[in-house]
Amino acid sequence: MLEKYELASENWISNIVEQGDDDALFASGYLQGHFAVVLSQLEVEEEQGFDALNEKMQACLVLAREELDDRDYELVEQAWSELSEIIKA
């Protein structure tokens, strides 16, 4: 399951690097760091489904809300929405 998430993330980021603008590159890079941490946490947990992934990513978004200005936060939140839709498919 985690391999599927990681592969989806890698493909999504590759696509953004090829076609994305500066905002998309920023948001995907920021999100990628949090995503990698969450995947490493899930490796040692029993529950590794999308709900567990999303719960941990939502906690990361709370931290992002504190770290980023409104515009950057919206970019990161939108990036997670996009990536999560790809992962769920």
Side-chain angles (χ1 to χ4, degrees), residues 12-69:
W12 176 72
I13 289 171
S14 291
N15 193 25
I16 289 174
V17 168
E18 291 174 12
Q19 301 173 9
D21 60 13
D22 289 343
D23 287 342
L25 289 170
F26 161 76
S28 64
Y30 183 92
L31 194 64
Q32 181 181 23
H34 287 283
F35 193 77
V37 169
V38 165
L39 287 183
S40 69
Q41 291 171 348
L42 288 176
E43 283 180 354
V44 298
E45 295 186 12
E46 202 169 301
E47 178 58 43
Q48 297 180 343
F50 177 78
D51 290 341
L53 172 69
N54 189 48
E55 183 178 322
K56 289 186 177 296
M57 288 303 296
Q58 291 302 319
C60 289
L61 288 176
V62 169
L63 292 175
R65 187 77 185 116
E66 297 172 8
E67 295 176 350
L68 301 173
D69 64 33

